Amino acid sequence: MSDKNNYENIDELLSSILNEPRSTQAQNTTSEQAVDVSKTSVINTAVRLDEEIDSDSVSGQTNVFNFGTFQSQHGRTGLVPDEDASEKASVRNAEKPRKKKKKRKKRNYTVYGGIVLATLVLCVSILISLFIIVVIRDVLGIESNDNEFTIYIEEGSSTWDIADQLYDEGIIQYKEVFVAFAKIMGADGNMYPGDLDVAYNMSYADIIDDLMEARESKETVTITFIEGITLYEAAQLLENNGVCDADEFIYTFNSTVFGYDYEQYVSSESLKLYKYEGFLFPDTYEFYVGDTAYNVAKKIRERTDEILTSEVIARAEEIGYSLEDVVILASIVQKEAGSTDDMPAVASVFINRLNNPEQYPRLQSDATTAYIDNIITQVMTVSSQTMCDAYDTYTCLGLPVGAICNPGADAINAVLYADDTNYYYFCTDPETGIAYFASTYDEHIANCELLGIM
């Protein structure tokens, strides 16, 4: 056979395989047995390859690679695009309704931003306005406190030095503003030293005007308050030296709050004779003759603040007492101890009693009865047994209601750092001032007999 006939036989054979029934294929195969064996192998190989690629291609379906379908065209088998499959896919896609995307509502952040900005501007404006008002009030001296007092401007003080001093005294609140006013008024470098009468309600302009005037120094007097002095005795000493009126001083000293930290620990017990008895620190002071009671009280209480520091307050809390308790007990130790050296031991006696109230409910200090006899009964126009009992440590339980004098630093420290003893009694030699301590009542009686004070 020629090659042409072989190709035709191949075509017919492929057509019969793809399009005719199995029975017909068998007949054609028998009739074509003369076909060359090598060609038949090629045909069989092609058929197997066709079946491996897509067994469903004979029915016109799309192959796994989606290239198209196998069809027999003009007696040949080929790969053609699957137009039907594309159309079916289009139809299916058309049948499925598309889900509409929900439109997100856009927030109007511009409006929110405007509201926040407007609120911020309003708050800032209010704060600035309040600050300006406060500054103007201070500059103009709009202050309810009109108490006058005197300060001393040292020689060579600069404008800033004066501003610092006025600020520390609480007369002005804005040093920079004061310095600016001084420069505007031409006072910078032209302010005189010396005594200056001031008040909290003075304007910056009035203060500067007074500073620009030459002032004569006021007459002063030096007064020493000994340790253990009472407020009543201190007031009499001030009046006798021409500083201020005694009654006015006592009233001002006990009714005025200067803003020192220790003041918050002082109670306002109604049974107290004087609220701030015990808080006049004994020291040597220089006062102006004819000064105001406010100025005198301020100077003394300021010195007391230098003694009753935050460390003292913390130590009092550490040993389980309030600051006022320490001052009250120190006032008793101040009066009872014959010497500074005995103070820590004397303090231990009272502390031991306070720590053992069931066995020793009362302190039994003779110094408290002396305060009643010498001060309370002399000051009170109408006797008050209730007040006297509140101070009498032979009657009241524990500490008296208030201090009985103004203790010094040694007595205060003796209470804060008392000796660790088991003493509950002591007595003092009236001639030598030496103290004799005892742990039991029998020992105490023996000491008293020894000193001849029983």
Side-chain angles (χ1 to χ4, degrees):
M1 291 184 176
S2 64
D3 293 337
K4 180 178 181 180
N5 291 331
N6 288 336
Y7 287 127
E8 289 176 355
N9 290 332
I10 292 172
D11 290 340
E12 290 175 359
L13 181 59
L14 289 174
S15 297
S16 64
I17 293 172
L18 295 173
N19 299 320
E20 294 181 5
R22 292 291 180 180
S23 59
T24 308
Q25 290 179 9
Q27 294 175 0
N28 292 336
T29 302
T30 303
S31 63
E32 296 296 331
Q33 291 178 351
V35 180
D36 188 11
V37 176
S38 62
K39 302 300 183 185
T40 302
S41 299
V42 173
I43 293 170
N44 292 334
T45 302
V47 172
R48 286 196 303 271
L49 180 60
D50 183 40
E51 291 176 351
E52 290 175 0
I53 294 174
D54 193 346
S55 61
D56 296 331
S57 62
V58 294
S59 61
Q61 296 180 3
T62 306
N63 65 5
V64 293
F65 300 106
N66 201 26
F67 291 140
T69 57
F70 286 100
Q71 296 181 359
S72 177
Q73 299 177 354
H74 304 293
R76 296 178 181 273
T77 300
L79 183 63
V80 296
D82 192 352
E83 296 179 357
D84 294 338
S86 300
E87 291 178 359
K88 291 179 181 179
S90 299
V91 171
R92 285 196 301 269
N93 293 336
E95 290 175 353
K96 294 181 180 179
R98 294 184 177 180
K99 294 182 179 180
K100 294 182 179 180
K101 293 183 178 180
K102 294 182 180 180
K103 294 183 178 180
R104 297 177 63 183
K105 294 181 179 180
K106 294 183 178 180
R107 296 181 179 179
N108 193 345
Y109 290 104
T110 304
V111 175
Y112 292 121
I115 294 174
V116 172
L117 181 60
T119 303
L120 182 60
V121 172
L122 180 61
C123 292
V124 172
S125 300
I126 293 174
L127 291 175
I128 293 175
S129 300
L130 291 174
F131 177 75
I132 292 174
I133 292 173
V134 171
V135 173
I136 291 176
R137 285 178 60 86
D138 192 60
V139 170
L140 297 179
I142 302 175
E143 170 68 45
S144 58
N145 190 344
D146 59 353
N147 289 304
E148 294 184 1
F149 54 100
T150 305
I151 62 175
Y152 179 76
I153 306 299
E154 294 184 0
E155 185 77 30
S157 297
S158 65
T159 303
W160 275 106
D161 293 335
I162 296 173
D164 288 335
Q165 185 176 355
L166 294 173
Y167 176 83
D168 293 338
E169 293 287 349
I171 302 167
I172 66 172
Q173 300 298 322
Y174 304 97
K175 295 183 287 186
E176 295 81 359
V177 177
F178 178 84
V179 173
F181 261 79
K183 291 181 179 181
I184 293 173
M185 297 176 64
D188 188 21
N190 296 315
M191 291 184 283
Y192 290 93
D195 298 321
L196 178 68
D197 293 329
V198 293
Y200 296 111
N201 62 350
M202 287 184 68
S203 68
Y204 285 20
D206 289 341
I207 296 173
I208 294 171
D209 283 340
D210 290 347
L211 285 167
M212 293 177 68
E213 295 180 0
R215 301 175 302 280
E216 295 182 0
S217 297
K218 294 184 176 182
E219 182 183 357
T220 62
V221 60
T222 300
I223 297 177
T224 298
F225 298 129
I226 62 172
E227 296 175 342
I229 194 172
T230 65
L231 272 178
Y232 177 79
E233 294 167 341
Q236 296 300 319
L237 194 58
L238 289 169
E239 182 173 285
N240 293 338
N241 283 273
V243 176
C244 63
D245 180 75
D247 292 337
E248 187 178 352
F249 167 76
I250 290 177
Y251 172 79
T252 303
F253 192 84
N254 288 285
S255 63
T256 306
V257 176
F258 293 94
Y260 300 116
D261 289 342
Y262 70 84
E263 292 176 346
Q264 62 183 304
Y265 298 95
V266 182
S267 66
S268 299
E269 173 61 50
S270 61
L271 292 178
K272 278 185 176 181
L273 177 63
Y274 297 131
K275 178 180 179 179
Y276 283 99
E277 181 82 88
F279 294 88
L280 183 155
F281 182 70
D283 204 348
T284 299
Y285 296 83
E286 186 176 12
F287 299 108
Y288 293 106
V289 175
D291 205 350
T292 64
Y294 181 88
N295 199 22
V296 175
K298 184 177 184 296
K299 180 174 290 188
I300 296 173
R301 294 269 289 277
E302 182 179 8
R303 178 71 180 107
T304 304
D305 182 62
E306 296 174 359
I307 302 302
L308 302 180
T309 61
S310 58
E311 289 77 11
V312 172
I313 296 173
R315 175 58 183 172
E317 294 176 351
E318 183 180 342
I319 62 176
Y321 296 105
S322 69
L323 178 65
E324 185 171 37
D325 290 340
V326 170
V327 171
I328 292 173
L329 185 53
S331 70
I332 297 175
V333 172
Q334 182 72 65
K335 287 294 188 179
E336 288 281 6
S339 65
T340 301
D341 294 337
D342 287 338
M343 285 183 176
V346 172
S348 73
V349 171
F350 295 113
I351 290 176
N352 289 339
R353 283 175 170 259
L354 290 172
N355 292 338
N356 192 3
E358 293 183 359
Q359 188 173 356
Y360 302 95
R362 296 174 178 82
L363 298 185
Q364 297 180 332
S365 168
D366 292 339
T368 59
T369 56
Y371 184 76
I372 295 170
D373 295 337
N374 299 329
I375 302 297
I376 295 179
T377 57
Q378 299 298 319
V379 172
M380 299 293 294
T381 55
V382 178
S383 61
S384 173
Q385 188 60 45
T386 304
M387 178 179 288
C388 292
D389 291 342
Y391 277 94
D392 188 357
T393 54
Y394 282 92
T395 302
C396 70
L397 302 178
L399 289 170
V401 69
I404 60 172
C405 71
N406 293 276
D410 291 329
I412 294 173
N413 288 327
V415 174
L416 294 174
Y417 303 94
D419 289 346
D420 185 10
T421 70
N422 59 351
Y423 299 146
Y424 288 93
Y425 303 90
F426 75 94
C427 57
T428 304
D429 188 336
E431 296 181 1
T432 63
I434 298 175
Y436 291 78
F437 299 91
S439 299
T440 65
Y441 183 70
D442 290 340
E443 292 177 358
H444 175 60
I445 294 299
N447 289 334
C448 291
E449 291 177 349
L450 179 64
L451 297 175
I453 57 178
M454 286 296 293

